Each structure stands twice: as structure tokens, then as C-alpha cells.
Amino acid sequence: MCGIVGYIGKTHAYPILIKGLKRLEYRGYDSAGVAMINDNGNLNVYKAKGKVADLEAYCEDKDTSGCVGIAHTRWATHGEPNSANAHPHYSASGRLALIHNGIIENYLTVKEKLVGRGIAFKSVTDSEVLIQLIEYIMQSNNLELLEAVQVALHQVIGAYAIAILDREHPDTIICARQSSPLVVGLGSDGAYYIASDASPIAEYTDKVVYLNDGDIAVLQPGHDLRVVNMDNETQHPNVKQIDVTLGQLEKGGYPYFMLKEIFEQPSCLRDCMRGRISVEGYHITLSAVIDYRDKLINARRIIIVACGTSWHAGLIGKQLFESLCRTPVEVEYASEFRYRDPVLYPDDVVVAISQSGETADTLAAIELARKAGAFVFGICNAIGASIPRLTQTGVYIHVGPEIGVASTKAFTGQVIVLSMLALCLANERHTISDEKYKEMVAELIRIPEKMEKALKTNEQIERLAPIFTYAKNCLYLGRGYNYPVALEGALKLKEISYIHAEGYPAAEMKHGPIALIDSEMPVFVIATRDKLYEKVISNIQEVRARGGRVTALVTEGDEQIRKFADHVIELPDTIECFQPLIASIPLQLLAYHIAVCKGKDVDRPRNLAKSVTVE
Ligand code: G6P
């Protein structure tokens, strides 16, 4: 949700903070702010409603000097987006400033107590309550900042990643984490960086520490990193090496990250399969399956938990596991699962899918599953995030940082990992023949090449897009493996162009959405050649009979559908279960071009955040 950046060292902090905020802007962008301590010991806080660029413009004539600072980009939870509610928040005396990502659930009770003691608040946020509480504890008990933070964190309930500046101690940043991500970067010159994820840090250092829940870190340049817990017990941070190139963090000549990420898919999927699929032997090796073979192949049931696009990937996973491994699968929204008191057995395998690895509901679902004794397997993109650390084992999708808020390459990365996992387990369980296994692995290897072909539809789609910009509603239809593709296509359009869109199983259309069809409503049908092809043709006819305008995604060379669809987009053929990897591409491009035609900010759609760290 919100993004946090901080720097303490020997150089000018402000440019590092602004650049970092820009890298994190995908996490939230309704307001932003920055705080620095200058050489005279002044703690300057500047905040602006809007994007990071608005903050930058606001700061143009301000004193932004100082070698220590913290900064924040906000996605509102408590209090409307305005500069008062933006972070950093000053303490009542103006001595401290805090940035916070997360939610303090008992903030109202704490606030009432503080108001009763005469403390005035400038914002309506839960975050300001925390800094006022810390200062109140500091003053009334005559404590140092670290001690006051420890006492205060014992009193609050909720999720937080925080960083605090103290103008009396310009050589120190104190930060802490509980259920919201926070990474500390260790600069070679003794400087420290902090951020919500490694992307703002990667260009300065490759040595990072992912703080654990309950950790409080004291950052002092030139001194070793000190990590303690709320009870002042020393923790032993684990320094990790990160491997993110600058190129991965920049747009590389594309106008938007989303377009760059759509076009990156073939190479990302090659990276994802590299070292896992042997091209000579047509064999898949996943270390998680080697390490936990018995647990995985003897699963009584697989339960997939995820949110958003990752949930759509899960729906494809269900079909793959059921048809290839013959294991029953349930796919759950993590947000529902966590509160539903589900029945879980120790021989269930729960598969948590998440691009960011930080989605609060998915984390809570994992916690619940682990408490119930289930084995939890993670499929994640962000290296070192909370989900891979909380699951017993898993597979990284390795598609590189995804910056565009609308997920694209992470979706196909998740589907390819689910395909590899299902094939691997099917082979171990002997639920598919050796011949079929090898044939499918060989096809998986060809997928990136076929995606390159599918990307060639870009120009055709760019030409078609203006036709759909005036639509108020769109319908996406698909069956079998293409039903989740329809859901994902509709979600992409909603997310970035704000056109209402629904994904539906094509045959179910008769039970409701058919009433909406008229000549004004575009209907996108995924009608590739598979076992349900003839049935989908009948569904297209039903739409046509009601005056609907059909754009069909078809297998190349299909002449039949061309006769009655308004537009056809041809795609390379593949095995039915891998079709989502190909068919998703034109739908991503369609959503992208429609949003661009409508003048929308594709990478930063309104109200959305890339990483939803609140429930
Ligand atoms: C947000 C993002 C989506 C994403 C979903 C789940 O809504 O905007 O793109 O699919 O969260 O996120 P995760 O990181 O768990 O896959």
C-alpha cells in the first residue's frame, strides 16, 4: 500500500528519497511527503497531495538540505488524501517525525487517551497517533527514543512498518516492522537505506536485511546495524544479497511499465523455466518437489489461496492439478478463507500465490493454514518477501520486479510455475504417461516463442482500441481454461480504463448477462480451438442473435468464426491447458491501448495499489 524510503549517510538525502519514492509510487500515490534534518538541526517536513511529482514541485523553493531523511508515498486508509493526512507526521513538540505503512487498529482508544492529556492532533490518521504516543511516553517517563518506541509498540495493535527521525539525534534513524514489509540496505560507505521493498535500494547496494516481525532497527552511519525487539533483546540480522539490475527498474524506452512488462513476458518466462526444465531430456526439476516430494504427491487436497490476478492464476492451477495430477483442488479468495473457519487436514497442501508476497489477506490465510497443521507452499515473485519466508517451501516465478499496477508478467509467470508444478507432480504420481509428460514439457519450452508471435497482434489491437473507448460495459467470455482468461481480461480493463467489465463462463451468459447485450456492448470471446470450440461457437451465435458486437480471439487459420465475428484476433495454437499463456496477451494489450486512448495513467490507476498490505 504505502511506500517508505529512508537514507542516512554522508550525501544529500533528498534526491535519494525522491528517486526512491518514484520507484515505490506503484504502492500508493494519493499524497507524498519527505522529512530531513538539516545541518542546523532543523527537522523540515514537506508534504503534498497528489503524486511524487507534485511533492517535488512543492519542494522546489524549500530547504531540502541534510544527509538524513525519510519519505513516504501514501494510499489512504484512515483520512482523505490531503497534505495534513500525508506523512511524515510531526510529534506535538516538532522534535520527531514518523512515516508509517500499515494500520494501527486500536488508534481511536489510544487517541482518546492522548487527547485527554491535552495533545492536539493535526490529522485524522492512525499514524499520527503512533508518533504522538511515542513522544508522550518519551516525555512523561524521561526515556530515550528507542526505549519509548519499545514501550509504545507494546501498546498498539495492528500492522506497521515505521521510520522515525529525531532532530536531537540527527545521526540515527529508528525503524520497526510488524506485518508490513521493511528492508534495510547496507551501503559500502557505512550509509543505511530503508524501503518497503528493495527497488529503491538496489541501485546503491546489493546487501540488504529483510526485517522480521517484531524487529526494531537502529541505523547509525559507520556503526553496525543494531536490531532489537520490543523487550530490548538483541536480534541477529541476516544479510542477503539482492540481484536486481537497474534496467529491470526502468522503462527501457516504453511509455509505460505495463507495456514494457507485457513485452517482457517471453524473456521472463524463459528466465522462469531456465535451470528447471531440461531441454534435452524434456524433464522438469523443482527443488521444492525434491525436498518435499512425499508431502506434495500424497496431498489429500490442494487449496489455493490468493487475491486479484493471482487468484485468477489459481483458477488455472486448479484445472491443471485436477486434470494432470487427479488431486482435488479448491481455490479460495484469501480474504474469505481467513474468516471462514475452513476445514483443514494435516495432509492438505495449501498453495499461496502472490506477486508481491506481502498481501495482508494472503499472509493471514497462510497463518491460519499453518496453525491448522497444513503444509503451505508459496508461489511468489518478490524475493525475500514475507510469503516465501512464512511458507514451508515454494517456487519463485523469477519474472523480475513488476512495477505496473495492473499485473501482467507476474500472471503468466504464476501460470507457468503452476504448469511446471502440476506436470512435475503428475510425473511423480504417474497420473500421466511418460509420453504425454514429455510432449507437454516440450510444448512448455515453445511457449515463449508463441508468446512472441501473440505480441505481434499489438498493432492490430492498437488500431481496434479506439472503437471500444466509449463502451460503458464489456463482457468477456471463455470456457474451460479460457474462463479465468476472461476474468483476467475483464479485470485488466476495469483496473486501468475504468470501463465496467465482467468475465463469465460463456455458457453461463444465458443465465443473466445475456439480458445486457445490445449493439452498444462489446463482447470479447476467447474461442481458440479446443474441446469446447463448437460450444463456444454456439455461445457466439447467441450473442450475435441479440445484436451483440463480437471480437473473437481465435486459433490462427480459423475461418469459421471470421464469418460471423466483427473482429478476429489470431493466436498461435498450443495445448489447451497452456492456452491462457497465449490468450492473455491480446487481452492485456487491449486493456492497455483502450486506457491509453482514454488518456488514463496506465501505471498508476486511481484507487489501486500494487501491494495491498492492509486487509
Ligand atoms: C492488488 C494488485 C493486483 C494483485 C493483487 C494481489 O490488488 O493491484 O495486481 O493481483 O493485489 O496481489 P499479490 O501481490 O498477492 O499477487
Side-chain angles (χ1 to χ4, degrees):
M1 314 272 14
C2 308
I4 281 181
V5 199
Y7 170 79
I8 184 161
K10 293 192 192 111
T11 55
H12 189 191
Y14 177 73
I16 297 172
L17 299 175
I18 289 291
K19 203 165 180 190
L21 283 187
K22 287 186 177 162
R23 294 223 191 282
L24 287 182
E25 211 172 8
Y26 68 83
R27 299 178 69 90
Y29 31 79
D30 59 42
S31 52
V34 62
M36 281 98 25
I37 304 176
N38 71 11
D39 292 343
N40 302 326
N42 295 325
L43 173 55
N44 294 316
V45 172
Y46 307 117
K47 312 195 269 190
K49 183 180 171 183
K51 301 192 169 146
V52 176
D54 298 302
L55 173 69
E56 234 182 329
Y58 177 74
C59 288
E60 249 167 36
D61 57 351
K62 307 280 184 302
D63 171 12
T64 55
S65 62
C67 299
V68 52
I70 53 177
H72 187 269
T73 176
R74 180 168 185 249
W75 188 88
T77 55
H78 293 66
E80 64 169 287
N82 58 27
S83 64
N85 289 333
H87 304 211
H89 292 287
Y90 273 125
S91 60
S93 76
R95 171 179 164 176
L96 309 175
L98 162 138
I99 50 175
H100 167 223
N101 170 26
I103 288 184
I104 305 299
E105 286 174 9
N106 60 338
Y107 82 107
L108 277 177
T109 333
V110 178
K111 188 171 181 174
E112 263 168 36
K113 275 191 205 146
L114 294 170
V115 169
R117 284 165 188 142
I119 293 171
F121 283 79
K122 295 186 191 72
S123 77
V124 294
T125 63
D126 53 332
S127 311
E128 190 189 354
V129 173
L130 188 52
I131 194 64
Q132 304 295 17
L133 175 67
I134 291 169
E135 186 172 75
Y136 175 77
I137 292 170
M138 219 169 134
Q139 289 173 342
S140 47
N141 300 290
N142 203 14
L143 295 179
E144 289 297 319
L145 177 59
L146 174 62
E147 296 166 316
V149 168
Q150 287 167 322
V151 175
L153 293 183
H154 269 295
Q155 295 181 20
V156 295
I157 301 167
Y160 50 80
I162 54 168
I164 305 169
L165 289 187
D166 177 357
R167 77 171 173 224
E168 306 289 312
H169 294 284
D171 60 342
T172 309
I173 294 181
I174 290 189
C175 52
R177 161 195 167 132
Q178 179 65 47
S179 305
S180 286
L182 197 55
V183 187
V184 178
L186 316 181
S188 54
D189 57 352
Y192 285 106
Y193 303 81
I194 53 165
S196 301
D197 66 38
S199 59
I201 295 177
E203 64 189 280
Y204 307 107
T205 177
D206 60 355
K207 289 195 179 48
V208 299
V209 168
Y210 293 95
L211 293 185
N212 290 315
D213 279 347
D215 281 354
I216 303 172
V218 182
L219 315 180
Q220 292 180 313
H223 291 80
D224 285 347
L225 175 65
R226 184 173 163 215
V227 182
V228 293
N229 65 11
M230 283 184 235
D231 300 318
N232 207 31
E233 290 158 347
T234 300
Q235 307 296 299
H236 301 285
N238 223 333
V239 180
K240 294 241 159 84
Q241 190 101 5
I242 46 164
D243 182 21
V244 180
T245 63
L246 207 53
Q248 288 174 314
L249 301 172
E250 316 237 297
K251 285 188 209 146
Y254 287 92
Y256 287 99
F257 279 111
M258 182 181 179
L259 191 62
K260 174 187 173 234
E261 287 159 4
I262 292 173
F263 272 87
E264 265 174 6
Q265 291 177 101
S267 73
C268 289
L269 295 207
R270 283 190 185 104
D271 287 346
C272 176
M273 290 190 275
R274 187 164 298 129
R276 291 165 168 170
I277 297 192
S278 109
V279 182
E280 296 79 40
Y282 298 118
H283 184 69
I284 299 173
T285 312
L286 294 173
S287 54
V289 176
I290 297 175
D291 296 346
Y292 295 93
R293 182 184 174 278
D294 291 348
K295 195 86 209 166
L296 293 169
I297 69 167
N298 295 322
R300 166 206 288 242
R301 188 172 58 148
I302 293 175
I303 301 171
I304 298 177
V305 292
C307 303
T309 290
S310 301
W311 185 79
H312 294 158
L315 293 178
I316 297 166
K318 172 182 169 75
Q319 299 188 48
L320 285 162
F321 289 126
E322 289 189 340
S323 87
L324 298 174
C325 314
R326 310 305 301 150
T327 308
V329 182
E330 286 166 28
V331 188
E332 301 263 4
Y333 283 118
S335 53
E336 289 295 312
F337 180 79
R338 63 181 291 191
Y339 289 118
R340 208 170 39 73
D341 194 15
V343 177
L344 280 160
Y345 302 104
D347 50 357
D348 280 336
V349 169
V350 172
V351 177
I353 309 177
S354 173
Q355 186 287 128
S356 63
E358 298 293 350
T359 302
D361 285 320
T362 310
L363 283 168
I366 291 172
E367 213 170 290
L368 183 130
R370 289 206 63 166
K371 271 197 195 131
F375 182 80
V376 188
F377 188 102
I379 295 179
C380 185
N381 189 34
I383 315 287
S386 301
I387 289 179
R389 289 188 289 139
L390 287 176
T391 46
Q392 275 108 325
T393 187
V395 179
Y396 278 116
I397 63 174
H398 284 314
V399 296
E402 190 181 65
I403 312 288
V405 167
S407 183
T408 52
K409 62 176 183 172
F411 173 70
T412 47
Q414 290 162 345
V415 174
I416 208 120
V417 161
L418 287 162
S419 307
M420 287 194 285
L421 184 60
L423 278 168
C424 206
L425 296 179
N427 186 43
E428 295 288 338
R429 284 169 61 90
H430 306 294
T431 44
I432 56 170
S433 68
D434 202 41
E435 201 189 351
K436 186 166 180 204
Y437 170 69
K438 288 202 161 31
E439 185 194 311
M440 292 184 77
V441 175
E443 181 60 11
L444 215 45
I445 297 168
R446 287 192 286 268
I447 289 292
E449 204 184 307
K450 295 191 175 186
M451 287 178 126
E452 271 155 8
K453 236 175 153 185
L455 283 165
K456 296 219 162 78
T457 59
N458 184 43
E459 279 176 23
Q460 182 197 1
I461 292 170
E462 191 173 1
R463 280 196 306 275
L464 282 178
I467 305 173
F468 306 116
T469 46
Y470 299 101
K472 295 251 176 309
N473 300 289
C474 290
L475 193 58
Y476 286 69
L477 302 176
R479 298 187 77 158
Y481 282 97
N482 284 331
Y483 162 51
V485 176
L487 289 176
E488 177 59 10
L491 179 65
K492 287 293 86 100
L493 188 71
K494 274 186 276 209
E495 283 180 316
I496 57 172
S497 72
Y498 319 140
I499 294 175
H500 170 247
E502 271 193 63
Y504 238 75
E508 273 295 301
M509 173 193 61
K510 294 192 266 312
H511 303 287
I514 202 163
L516 301 171
I517 292 174
D518 60 19
S519 61
E520 305 280 292
M521 178 148 107
V523 181
F524 301 104
V525 188
I526 306 125
T528 47
R529 222 174 255 290
D530 56 31
K531 64 172 184 290
L532 292 169
Y533 175 71
E534 299 296 339
K535 310 243 176 242
V536 175
I537 290 189
S538 308
N539 300 137
I540 295 178
Q541 299 288 21
E542 288 158 9
V543 174
R544 292 291 295 162
R546 273 122 194 126
R549 285 157 46 208
V550 173
T551 301
L553 307 191
V554 301
T555 306
E556 56 193 351
D558 187 316
E559 289 305 324
Q560 208 178 341
I561 296 181
R562 191 175 287 280
K563 290 186 198 133
F564 44 81
D566 297 81
H567 311 284
V568 294
I569 297 168
E570 293 197 27
L571 296 173
D573 196 12
T574 182
I575 301 177
E576 187 179 347
C577 64
F578 301 148
Q579 195 61 62
L581 292 161
I582 308 293
S584 304
I585 288 181
L587 298 183
Q588 295 167 347
L589 288 168
L590 190 72
Y592 170 81
H593 286 297
I594 293 175
V596 170
C597 282
K598 294 189 76 172
K600 304 298 178 205
D601 186 346
V602 170
D603 285 336
R604 291 172 296 188
R606 71 181 180 210
N607 305 338
L608 296 181
K610 180 93 194 136
S611 181
V612 180
T613 52
V614 293
E615 63 168 291

